[in-house]
Amino acid sequence: MKNNKYLERIYNGVWKENPLFVLVLGTCPTLAVTTSATNGFGMGLAATAVLILSNIIISALRNVIPGKVRLPAEIVIVASLVTVCDMLMEAFTPELYDSLGIFIPLIVVNCIILGRAEAFALKNKPLVSAFDGLGMGLGFTVALVLIGGFREILGAGTIFGLKVMPAGYTPISIFILAPGAFLVYAMLTALQNKLKLPCATNGDAKDPDHVMCDGNCTMCRIHSLAPTAETINAPKKPAAKPAEPKAETPATEIKEN
Amino acid sequence: MLAKLLIIAVSSCLVSNVVLSQFLGICSFVGVSTDVKTSAGMGGAVVFVITLASAVASLIYNYVLTPLNITYLKTIVFIVVIAALVQIVEMFMHKCMLSLYNALGVYLPLITTNCAVLGVALTNAQNSFGFVESVVNGFATALGYCIAIILLAGIREHMEGNDVPHSWQGMPIVLITAALMSISFFGFSGIM
C-alpha cells in the first residue's frame, strides 16, 4: 500500500496524519457540527470537496503564482471554492445547509485547507495533490462521523437518524448540546494521552500559543507574511535585507519542484 | 430599537456565547488562557478588532454588496477585508498609538487566528443587521469572548496546584473545564 504514491497519500490522510486526531486542525467546526453523524458527514464531505479542488488548482498554478502574493492568491481561490460549495449546498441540501449554518462559509479559515495547500500542493503535481486532498478530507470526514456518531448515540439514541438504542434507553441529551462537544473532545484527548497516541496538542514540548493550528491556519499565515513591528520600525536599509530572502524562499522551492 | 439592541447584546454576549456555545475562536480560548493578565489583554484586543471588523464589514455589505446585488461574494470579500484590516490596525497602532499597541499589540497576531472575527461578520450579514446592530452585535460577541477567556484563565490558575490524573493533564482538563463553563452558561438561556 505504501509503495503506490497515490494510495500512500490516502493512507497518510486517513490514518498516519489524520487532520483531526493527529494534527488537531479544524477544531472549531469539529466541536460545532458533530451534534449528529449526518452533520459530521456533511461537513466532512463539503471540506473534502473544497480540499481536493483547492489542492488541484493551487498545485496547477504553483509555477504561475508569484511567491510574494501566493497567500492572498490561495485565499481567494479557497474562498471562491467555498462560495461555490455554499451555494450548491443551499440549493441541493437545504436541511444540512441550515444545520451547518455559518460553518460552511467558515471552511475558508479551516486550518486544514490552507495548511495542505502550503505544505503539499505548492510543492507537488496536481494529481498527487488531489489524492492528498482526498486522503486528508476522508480522514477529516471519518473523524467527524466517529465523533458525531458517538455523540448522537449517547445523546439521542440514534445514528444517522436511525434508532439503535433499546426502547428503555433514556438519551443523555447533554451530549448533543454544546457542553457535550467539549466533554467528548476532552475524553478523546485524554484517551490519546493515556494510550500515548500521536497528537499535536499532547505532550509538553508544544508552544501553547499555536497549540491548535501549529501556524497552519489561514490567519497565522497571512500574518507571517505581513511586515512585523521590527521591519516597520527599523531603519530602512538593514530591514530590507533580512526581509528579502524570506520572501524568496517559496519562489525557489517552487522552481526546484 | 433600544430594546432590540439590548436583546441582541444579551443574546450574543451570554446566551449564545461565542466560544462556549458557538465554538468560534477555540484555538486562542484554549491556547492563551494560561493566566488572567494575558487573557485580559487578549480579550481587550479581541473586543477592539471584532467591533471594528463588524463595523467595516457591515458598511461594505450594506452599502456595496447589497446595492450591487452581489451578496454571494460576501465570504471572499470579508476574508480579504478582515485580513487587510487587522494588518492596517496593527501598523497604525504601532505608529500612532504606541501605549495602546504595547498593551494590546502583542495579542493582535493571535487574534487574526480567530475565526470568530469572520464568524461575526458573516452572522451580521446572515441576520441582515444594519450598521448599529452589527456594531452592537460585534461588541457584545467580543465581550462574551472576553468574559469566557478570563473566567477560564482564572479557573486554570486555581487548577495549577491540583493533582490532575496524568492522562487528563494539559488539554483534556482544560476542555473539561470549558464543558463545565458551557453547562453553566446554558443557564442564561432561561433569561431570553
Side-chain angles (χ1 to χ4, degrees):
Chain A
M1 189 174 180
K2 283 181 191 172
N3 298 330
N4 185 317
K5 69 175 176 179
Y6 300 113
L7 286 178
E8 191 271 333
R9 279 292 96 201
I10 294 181
Y11 166 78
N12 182 62
V14 175
W15 184 253
K16 200 173 138 220
E17 284 186 11
N18 186 298
L20 200 58
F21 294 146
V22 183
L23 303 179
V24 199
L25 298 172
T27 335
C28 299
T30 306
L31 290 173
V33 304
T34 52
T35 47
S36 70
T38 318
N39 282 355
F41 190 63
M43 180 71 200
L45 286 193
T48 308
V50 174
L51 197 49
I52 295 174
L53 289 173
S54 76
N55 264 8
I56 293 176
I57 296 176
I58 290 169
S59 166
L61 294 176
R62 69 188 191 282
N63 295 328
V64 183
I65 304 174
K68 278 180 185 168
V69 295
R70 72 179 202 289
L71 267 175
E74 283 165 25
I75 288 164
V76 173
I77 292 170
V78 174
S80 316
L81 291 169
V82 170
T83 307
V84 172
C85 176
D86 184 83
M87 291 163 89
L88 285 175
M89 286 180 84
E90 191 175 7
F92 293 107
T93 56
E95 275 179 38
L96 193 64
Y97 182 79
D98 286 338
S99 55
L100 296 182
I102 198 178
F103 282 92
I104 301 170
L106 282 180
I107 295 176
V108 182
V109 283
N110 192 319
C111 310
I112 303 169
I113 315 267
L114 218 74
R116 287 329 284 176
E118 287 272 298
F120 198 86
L122 269 181
K123 297 168 190 162
N124 290 283
K125 288 189 175 146
L127 190 60
V128 74
S129 300
F131 275 88
D132 181 72
L134 181 63
M136 281 286 159
L138 282 181
F140 190 52
T141 312
V142 167
L144 286 178
V145 169
L146 284 179
I147 298 177
F150 182 75
R151 285 178 66 188
E152 197 183 344
I153 289 177
L154 288 178
T158 60
I159 184 151
F160 286 109
L162 298 169
K163 199 148 186 60
V164 284
M165 297 301 263
Y169 176 75
T170 318
I172 316 164
S173 55
I174 194 170
F175 278 103
I176 52 169
L177 297 175
F182 286 112
L183 221 52
V184 170
Y185 211 70
M187 289 193 269
L188 183 72
T189 43
L191 199 69
Q192 283 176 308
N193 246 345
K194 178 78 186 166
L195 301 175
K196 299 205 163 42
L197 295 172
C199 173
T201 53
N202 287 344
D204 18 42
K206 271 285 172 190
D207 173 11
D209 289 348
H210 292 111
V211 72
M212 290 293 197
C213 73
D214 205 15
N216 267 321
C217 66
T218 319
M219 294 303 198
C220 289
R221 289 198 176 262
I222 296 174
H223 202 271
S224 68
L225 275 196
T228 56
E230 288 79 41
T231 50
I232 300 170
N233 243 19
K236 274 182 186 171
K237 275 183 187 170
K241 276 184 183 172
E244 262 179 24
K246 227 182 183 182
E248 287 298 317
T249 1
T252 48
E253 256 171 35
I254 293 163
K255 272 176 206 161
E256 279 164 17
N257 283 289
Chain B
M1 183 65 184
L2 208 64
K4 199 186 169 200
L5 288 182
L6 194 69
I7 289 174
I8 292 175
V10 173
S11 138
S12 50
C13 180
L14 299 173
V15 181
S16 50
N17 186 283
V18 62
V19 207
L20 296 171
S21 91
Q22 292 189 57
F23 307 109
L24 294 171
I26 301 284
C27 302
S28 56
F29 178 65
V30 175
V32 188
S33 59
T34 37
D35 65 275
V36 173
K37 205 176 157 227
T38 320
S39 303
M42 179 73 187
V46 164
V47 171
F48 185 77
V49 169
I50 291 192
T51 313
L52 197 66
S54 44
V56 172
S58 148
L59 284 179
I60 290 176
Y61 185 77
N62 288 328
Y63 298 105
V64 180
L65 298 186
T66 313
L68 294 175
N69 214 4
I70 47 168
T71 48
Y72 59 88
L73 287 179
K74 61 178 188 291
T75 315
I76 306 177
V77 173
F78 286 173
I79 182 98
V80 173
V81 166
I82 289 170
L85 180 79
V86 177
Q87 297 306 329
I88 294 167
V89 167
E90 193 181 350
M91 284 189 258
F92 178 76
M93 261 176 141
H94 194 260
K95 278 277 178 199
C96 306
M97 298 184 281
L98 205 59
S99 58
L100 192 64
Y101 180 83
N102 289 335
L104 303 181
V106 280
Y107 305 105
L108 282 175
L110 291 172
I111 303 179
T112 33
T113 66
N114 206 324
C115 50
V117 187
L118 183 62
V120 175
L122 287 168
T123 316
N124 289 340
Q126 217 167 41
N127 296 335
S128 42
F129 282 163
F131 179 71
V132 181
E133 287 158 322
S134 298
V135 174
V136 170
N137 186 39
F139 179 75
T141 306
L143 200 66
Y145 176 89
C146 205
I147 294 172
I149 196 172
I150 292 176
L151 282 177
L152 180 67
I155 300 172
R156 280 180 77 171
E157 278 187 356
H158 277 280
M159 229 158 45
E160 253 168 29
N162 290 6
D163 186 19
V164 178
H166 185 261
S167 311
W168 292 88
Q169 279 169 15
M171 269 282 280
I173 193 69
V174 177
L175 287 167
I176 288 287
T177 316
L180 294 174
M181 284 170 64
S182 177
I183 294 174
S184 52
F185 267 69
F186 230 74
F188 286 116
S189 55
I191 61 174
M192 286 306 273

